[in-house]
Each structure stands twice: as C-alpha cells, then as structure tokens.
Amino acid sequence: MATLAVTRRHDLTDAQWQRLAALLPAASAKGRPPKWEKRQLIDGI
C-alpha cells in the first residue's frame, strides 16, 4: 500500500507510518496469509 488517505482522526499519516514500519518484524513466508495489513492493525489499536 503506497499511500492511504487518513479518514479517521487517529489514523497514522504516511510520514508516521514510514517511521514505524521500519521497526516492525518482517512478514513470515510460512503459514496463512494475514487478514489485515500491519498498518490496519496499528491504526485499529
């Protein structure tokens, strides 16, 4: 996902997401594919 329009008050901006995404673990190639992208999960939290 290259860009995501911020639609809710507490969603991350693209600049905030770029800084945070580098700190998250890499996706595993094994197992079931994720239902949600990491950005969606973080915005939900």
Side-chain angles (χ1 to χ4, degrees), residues 5-33:
V6 177
T7 57
R8 294 178 294 182
R9 181 171 48 152
H10 300 291
D11 285 353
L12 296 172
T13 64
D14 288 336
Q16 290 170 326
W17 175 246
Q18 286 178 349
R19 294 183 75 185
L20 183 62
L23 302 173
L24 298 173
S28 174
K30 297 180 181 180
R32 183 183 304 174

Side-chain angles (χ1 to χ4, degrees), residues 1-4 17 24 27 33-45:
M1 177 173 19
T3 61
L4 177 69
W17 175 246
L24 298 173
K35 186 172 183 179
W36 296 286
E37 294 181 10
K38 289 181 183 177
R39 186 170 182 167
Q40 291 173 314
L41 292 172
I42 297 296
D43 282 339
I45 293 170

